[in-house]
Amino acid sequence: MPFAVYLELDPYSTAELQPIVEHVERISPNARTPRRLNIEPHISLAVYDGLDPEPLFRALDRFSDGMRAPVVRLSSVGLFPGPAPVLFAAPVVSAELLALHRDFHAAVDSAGAACWPYYLPGNWVPHVTLGEQLTPEEAGAAISGAMGLWQPMSASLHRISLVAFHPVELLWHRQLPA
């Protein structure tokens, strides 16, 4: 069972993205969206295939202790291509966001979990998934509709969470003060 550590968007930003999520759901009965998965839109810091969560709990406690909710600027929408494309909102890749990601990995290395290569520093493409498991045809309709609904926004990343998935099960979280 895979695990993920992610930073959740605040409720206001989540509401702002909802029309795009609803559009994806209308065009694709099989797409995985945050709403269908019963999770908040988020930026994943790491994904792991299997791990003992206990050491990661301790590392996450240390990493997030005293952490303030980072703010990102979601500036665009895009697609990860492939046989099951992914529609996403993209944050501006700032030095602060890259440093947070690098610091996260340095803090949790001691937990001994092997991260998926896509999520390692130097490979990571920060994004907020709005729809995945799309067909190529659905992806075209999804990006076309998203472009008409898109408005750039600032988003507070107000909670850090560790989940097991699919189905999604919350294992650990911490609310981050503004």
Side-chain angles (χ1 to χ4, degrees):
M1 172 176 284
F3 297 83
V5 175
Y6 56 66
L7 293 163
E8 295 177 17
L9 273 62
D10 64 90
Y12 176 78
S13 302
T14 295
E16 290 290 306
L17 293 172
Q18 205 54 40
I20 297 173
V21 170
E22 290 169 359
H23 169 71
V24 171
E25 291 175 348
R26 279 191 300 276
I27 62 168
S28 178
N30 299 316
R32 289 183 182 162
T33 65
R35 187 165 72 171
R36 285 181 177 161
L37 294 174
N38 199 29
I39 58 174
E40 298 302 320
H42 59 270
I43 296 176
S44 293
L45 297 174
V47 178
Y48 308 96
D49 270 325
L51 57 83
D52 174 3
E54 287 299 322
L56 197 51
F57 294 158
R58 291 188 294 278
L60 287 167
D61 280 334
R62 285 189 304 275
F63 171 72
S64 63
D65 188 41
M67 183 178 177
R68 305 297 254 168
V71 176
V72 295
R73 180 84 178 145
L74 298 175
S75 62
S76 61
V77 290
L79 282 173
F80 289 127
V86 175
L87 177 71
F88 62 88
V92 172
V93 181
S94 65
E96 293 82 12
L97 185 58
L98 290 174
L100 181 146
H101 182 253
R102 183 190 63 243
D103 293 348
F104 163 78
H105 279 275
V108 302
D109 267 355
S110 64
C115 182
W116 289 8
Y118 292 125
Y119 292 91
L120 291 172
N123 296 339
W124 183 55
V125 178
H127 64 282
V128 177
T129 299
L130 302 174
E132 60 184 339
Q133 298 297 311
L134 301 166
T135 67
E137 295 76 23
E138 291 167 343
I143 193 71
S144 179
M147 289 186 326
L149 297 167
W150 180 252
Q151 291 293 318
M153 68 185 81
S154 290
S156 175
L157 303 173
H158 75 118
R159 188 164 102 154
I160 185 169
S161 299
L162 169 65
V163 299
F165 65 95
H166 291 293
V168 176
E169 177 187 356
L170 180 64
L171 303 175
W172 178 96
H173 73 273
R174 175 175 275 171
Q175 197 72 28
L176 302 173

